[in-house]
Amino acid sequence: MSSPLLHATVCCYAFECSSFLTNPITYGYMDGFDSAVQCVTVLYWVCDPQMIARGKNASDLFPAVVKNVACKNIEVKKLVYVYLVRYAEEQQDLALLSISTFQRGLKDPNQLIRASALRVLSSIRVTIIVPIMMLAIKEAASDMSPYVRKTAAHAIPKLYSLDPEQKDCLIEVIEKLLADKTTLVAGSVVMAFEEVCPERIDLIHKNYRKLCNLLIDVEEWGQVVIINMLTRYARTQFLNPNMNEDKEEKEKKKTEATAIVKRKPYVMDPDHRLLLRNTKPLLQSRNAAVVMAVAQLYFHLAPKAEVGVIAKALVRLMRSHSEVQYVVLQNVATMSIKRRGMFEPYLKSFYIRSTDPTQIKVLKLEVLTNLANETNISTILREFQTYIKSNDKDFVAATIQAIGRCATNIGEVRDTCLNGLVQLLSNRDELVVAESVVVIKKLLQMQPEQHSDIIKHMAKLTDNIQVPMARASILWLIGEYCEHVPKIAPDVLRKMAKTFTNEEDIVKLQIINLAAKLYLTNSKQTKLLTQYVLNLAKYDQNYDIRDRARFIRQLIVPTDKSGALSKYAKKLFLALKPAPVLESPFKDRDHFQLGSLSHLLNAKAGGYQVLPDWPEAAPDPSVRNVEVKESVRAVETVTARDRGPLGPSSGEDVKKSEKKSKPRIGSSESESEEDDDSESESSESEEEESEEESEEETKKKKKVGNERLENTRTTDIHTHTHSERRNTHILNCDSQPNTIASVQVFDTICKPAWLYMQFLLNPPLPVSVPQTIIPSGNLKTYELLHRITGEGLSVEYCFSRQPFSPDPHMVAVKIQFTNSATSEAKSLHVEDAKLQSGMRIKEFPEIEVLPAGETISVVMGIDFSCSLMFFVSIQPPVGELMMPIFMTENEFKKEQGEHRNQCMEIKQYGPHFDCHAVVQRVTTAANLSRVPCGSDKECRFAGKTVTSGSLVLVSVVTKEDGAAQLTVNCEKMVIGTMLVKDIHQALTQ
Amino acid sequence: MINSLFLINPSGEIFLEKHWKSVVSRSVCDYFLEAKEKALEPEDVPPVIHTPHHYLISIYRDKLFFLSVIQTEVPPLFVIEFLHRVAEMIQDYFGECSETVVKDHMVMVYELLEEMLDNGFPLATESNVLKEMIRPPTILRSVVNTLTGTSNVGDTLLTGQLSTIPWRRAGVRYTNNEAYFDVVEEIDAILDQSGTTVFAEIQGVVEACVKLSGMPDLTLSFMNPRLLDDVSFHPCVRYKLWESERVLSFIPPDGNFTLMTYHVNAQNLVAIPVYVKQSISFFECGSDGRLDVTVGPKQTMGKTVEGVMVTVHLPKTILSINLTATQGSYTYDNGTKVTTLWDIGKLNPQKLPNLRGSLSLQAGAPKPEENPSLNIDLKIQQLAISGLKVNRLDMFGEKYKPFKGVKYITKAGKFQVRT
């Protein structure tokens, strides 16, 4: 462990954590350490775990750790990646420091390094790098290595979750990658499709057959995603294979005649067949998720006769881990309601073992109940008898419920079941008895006449049984069927009246109920008892009971004022009640796509895509055709995208047609290689593939080139060599040298840069004299050290915009010290400014004494080429990293033309701008000079960055409708992006 | 897809967390811990829990909970299957999957998890690919690493992910080329009180240990493939050849892997190798009962039955037991579940092992309703109870002659006797 991490250790030394390391490093267990720290594997071994446990946040070490991003040692590097991705969100500015490393990695000749750079870059959740990510993804999507393209597909959902506004651009990339014909990419891109634009089902048409054919060779996880997506696709594009049978069922109920007239023979679409045929072998997958995915596909899409094949595979999954069993059983329970015959041969596989977890037992019971029919019910009931003896009482209760359901569904066994349940009434366990009572109550409702003896038996139980629900059920039964047991009923009421005050609320309500019913049927015997019960209820603590008593008294006891309703009291209370229908909780769950989380929860989960119903008439199957002729193809693609019957009209503008040329190229790529090489088992060698690819790329390039002849130097593009190909790739319409410059955007990253200064204060005394510092003129000041933290000394800085005379490559920073303390501050100087290489500082001369209440200003020069953060920081806004240059209008236009496509942003502003205000605001935000121009609608500014001298051009055009357009041209993309942000903010304030 | 992973030990302490997207506070686990408190047994915790903002999908394995946090719709089996892969990977790398092992190899576990998922979507789950990236620890290597400062992370760039056979690493070299196949069959059965078979089936698995150089292309054929009713394969097996010719043709991964699992046609009667005579009774009055269990060989095809073990799940009201075994020893565990484990060992047909004695219940406890069920464990070497036999193994694509071997074992799976 020691040596590779020594590197990291050193970086911590460089930081301020000497206190960490004065303790010997202990490799103990890290019980109870802070959660934030858990991810920081780098620091586990470097820092004393106990320090971290004391609440030291690992993100403090961010700069020190991130510095190692370029480290040679792969393990340290990987750990730094883990750390970086984990904390980048909290330390956005610092995370930017690492970007240049990844940008360099994106250009590496080794495909694995390119892929890993893209992977980490896209995992950094910092909004400011969105354009960089977008560019990187676009580029990687047309990389010659399928592995890099796979990584690009992985990056798409990451970028989408970071900035959903990029959706349109991302869909273009997805469209391109969908056309990819390698198995490596297929799964990942469909995943991206599902996360970004699952509604764009039209993108699938052209790739449908290819996806079906590739499926068996895609890795397992990709298979799951593709199969689920194709299920949805098929539901929108094909006809219901069972429609004739379904119709038959419906029509049988109606008239027979119409059925014959309208019968149309169903012919399955060959593409539908293709899907079913190609997914079937995957039922043999070792991965339960794949098997489940195929099973749900067959359940939702296959003709009834073919669905049976999935049963065997699903039963096999029951051998797997209990969690897998749990999910599979849920789905089997739903399926077994609709297609019972399918699982009947496997009935015994659902038998319950005493060692199964309760939730599995209950689900198996559910399946067994669903599978019960006249032929197998006796076997099932025998099994149930065993289960009733179980020690697991929840399970016993569920079994009793199941028996009840079997009894209601299958008439023949109703009496047997009822007898069995009545026997259970003498069970010692109260829960069992209670559950039986509830179920018996439901069963009796179906045919009460024959079972007065059971009711009598249950009436006796009231003496012993204590479970409220069961007591209530018995009372309800006696009340409901009091005419069948005329002798017992009043006696029961007498007993209950005695114990009324000690009963539970539901029981009390049923006692009142019973009393009311008896009063209506047998008022001679029960009048007094009823009065008594109602009186007790009148003073009950529960308002529901008081309320019920009042209501019933009004209804049944005739008084002189009694309303019209009391006439109907008998009808109200003794109406014939319909028997309850005992249904499976899994009924109708199949409107959720099986195998999905939503199905499991029986509630729509976030991001769930509804499984559409079959269309009435099949959509045009020719959209899936992949044709060869170019002219036809162009029109085809457009139809597919617009879903309209006709191609684009001739009057389409240039921009639109250019946009559409892209997907066309994508599909042409897949067509030319349509020969099904996925079938061949032999492994393709990498070189072969890449050569093939690059050839394709060049072909493609040619086409792009021809189309964009005006902007592109096509001569470069026809070459085959690697490096040139890459370059032309990045920026389609730029000249070579600029391209290379743009690649290195972050090598000279300018914002943010930091400085370290330590001030010696003597003697420090806390005071609170409020004093404001008025910034000189237009300059914005930034706080370096607050008065309170500095114990009286406050430091502010501003960018004076004067050239720094000792060194023209430095930015002048004016630092203003204010001593608001009561004593004087001595010896103010910069001490040991620890600077990164490439960054330089010209210190200001030491200030010996700063008397109390005085303010002093000094100027120092800093070359912010690249740097690292320390205690206090000077953060220059991007606008200060440039200096104004003078240009004529013509020069400006010329330069602008050359840099056109490098960084351009268009934003709309409010209507309230005049030229003067714009000039003022822009110059405040950035150190630029105005370029004279004739029109007052347009303001132009020019400047160059101080360190590298790259040109920065800004123009603000005010439009007729009061809106304005801001254009920034800068070959350093990051500076450009940030400048747009800053100026935009300045203008909209 | 998968947002975060938490590893939780049985006492509810979170000892590892890993996030693949934005960080999810570990307080989300409270919902899970609550459900865990409610459940009597760890197995009873529902695998899917719905919380206001997240869905928690968990598995319980090797006395650890693997809890994943999901934010949007995803097939639950996808996540469950992946979590099992994580557990298998830890087992594969470190020999066992336990809290101690994970804590000891925290850094490596993190590295593995980082490679297995990208943004919540599985990236590299093949053991061969992972081992190429991150080398598993060995004692020798850890000593060497300490001395020389090299690390476990492979610095060669891996090629496995790039090839069309992602399960096999490139450039494998062995001095002894060998390929071993274990045909393991498990009998799942439920026998009722009288010894009649309620339900029985055979599940088999072919485990392979292949250490062959280069890119061997193997073909394995069976004498009687018709026996196999339902099969599932490792992705390396060419399904089409199985469909047409009933042979297993594949380029194997390097090392240990499961080649196929199968189910033997349920129409064939399953031979039950042992019989169990038992009588467990509790007296109506007084608070004790009697237990008498005898195990004997039945259809063993002339082989000896070894490793016989009988587990009796007794009711919770049992206070103590007093038993004598004629063979082997028994242990009694009075924890959350009251179980008696009787380790018999080899079955001797001449002298049948017997366990008998008395049980005493807690004073005043009612007579238990259900008699305890018995779980049987056994092993028969050199026999596949279904009669499946490997015919031959051929190798193409490489010149050398490999050493080949096949072993058959029959075990009891979920073998339960109701009483």
Side-chain angles (χ1 to χ4, degrees), chain B residues 76-148:
Chain B
L77 273 183
F78 187 98
V79 182
I80 290 170
E81 187 75 28
F82 175 79
L83 293 177
H84 280 291
R85 290 286 169 87
V86 172
E88 276 156 27
M89 202 52 68
I90 293 173
Q91 170 117 35
D92 191 27
Y93 261 78
F94 311 114
E96 61 164 331
C97 181
S98 70
E99 190 182 349
T100 335
V101 157
V102 172
K103 279 182 173 173
D104 282 351
H105 300 95
M106 195 69 103
V107 174
M108 208 184 269
V109 172
Y110 263 107
E111 287 170 346
L112 280 170
L113 290 176
E114 182 69 17
E115 293 301 336
M116 287 178 87
L117 280 187
D118 180 17
N119 194 37
F121 190 75
L123 192 64
T125 49
E126 281 298 334
S127 147
N128 266 239
V129 173
L130 282 172
K131 282 191 176 157
E132 216 175 328
M133 283 193 271
I134 300 152
R135 294 192 205 110
T138 58
I139 294 168
L140 180 69
R141 187 170 295 135
S142 61
V143 171
V144 172
N145 285 353
T146 323
L147 295 177
T148 61

Side-chain angles (χ1 to χ4, degrees), chain B residues 85-352:
Chain B
R85 290 286 169 87
V86 172
E88 276 156 27
M89 202 52 68
I90 293 173
Q91 170 117 35
D92 191 27
Y93 261 78
F94 311 114
E96 61 164 331
C97 181
S98 70
E99 190 182 349
T100 335
V101 157
V102 172
K103 279 182 173 173
D104 282 351
H105 300 95
M106 195 69 103
V107 174
M108 208 184 269
V109 172
Y110 263 107
E111 287 170 346
L112 280 170
L113 290 176
E114 182 69 17
E115 293 301 336
M116 287 178 87
L117 280 187
D118 180 17
N119 194 37
F121 190 75
L123 192 64
T125 49
E126 281 298 334
S127 147
N128 266 239
V129 173
L130 282 172
K131 282 191 176 157
E132 216 175 328
M133 283 193 271
I134 300 152
R135 294 192 205 110
T138 58
I139 294 168
L140 180 69
R141 187 170 295 135
S142 61
V143 171
V144 172
N145 285 353
T146 323
L147 295 177
T148 61
T150 52
S151 72
N152 285 319
V153 176
D155 39 13
T156 50
L157 289 158
L158 49 132
T159 46
Q161 274 174 312
L162 305 172
S163 73
T164 45
I165 37 171
W167 56 83
R168 186 170 179 89
R169 62 194 180 92
V172 185
R173 283 281 163 270
Y174 288 103
T175 42
N176 296 323
N177 289 296
E178 43 194 22
Y180 298 109
F181 295 89
D182 290 1
V183 179
V184 183
E185 295 196 338
E186 292 192 354
I187 307 166
D188 285 1
I190 302 176
L191 306 183
D192 74 1
Q193 212 158 0
S194 56
T196 337
T197 312
V198 178
F199 162 78
E201 62 178 13
I202 298 170
Q203 302 282 348
V205 52
V206 180
E207 299 278 1
C209 174
V210 178
K211 292 179 175 175
L212 298 175
S213 315
M215 275 288 167
D217 195 333
L218 302 178
T219 305
L220 183 80
S221 60
F222 295 102
M223 303 268 255
N224 37 9
R226 302 278 155 220
L227 272 177
L228 308 179
D229 180 37
D230 180 43
V231 283
S232 77
F233 300 119
H234 188 275
C236 68
V237 177
R238 295 171 183 120
Y239 182 73
K240 278 181 184 148
L241 270 167
W242 170 259
E243 279 291 89
S244 57
E245 295 170 40
R246 298 274 151 180
V247 292
L248 296 174
S249 163
F250 55 98
I251 296 173
D254 185 45
N256 296 314
F257 65 100
T258 302
L259 181 63
M260 72 182 286
T261 60
Y262 60 88
H263 176 96
V264 173
N265 209 330
Q267 268 76 52
N268 297 15
L269 282 176
V270 177
I272 305 290
V274 292
Y275 69 88
V276 180
K277 265 200 240 163
Q278 40 76 28
S279 93
I280 302 174
S281 55
F282 295 99
F283 303 121
E284 199 62 61
C285 50
S287 55
D288 52 346
R290 287 186 49 76
L291 180 145
D292 188 342
V293 183
T294 311
V295 184
K298 206 171 164 190
Q299 294 156 293
T300 59
M301 324 261 175
K303 310 270 183 196
T304 28
V305 183
E306 297 169 11
V308 182
M309 247 194 275
V310 180
T311 315
V312 191
H313 296 280
L314 294 165
K316 282 191 178 144
T317 45
I318 294 277
L319 187 67
S320 67
I321 57 171
N322 182 19
L323 304 173
T324 39
T326 56
Q327 183 186 340
S329 59
Y330 80 90
T331 50
Y332 169 67
D333 173 23
N334 199 347
T336 48
K337 268 183 187 171
V338 186
T339 52
T340 303
L341 185 78
W342 178 28
D343 188 348
I344 299 169
K346 213 177 266 183
L347 267 193
N348 180 2
Q350 270 74 50
K351 193 168 159 277
L352 297 178

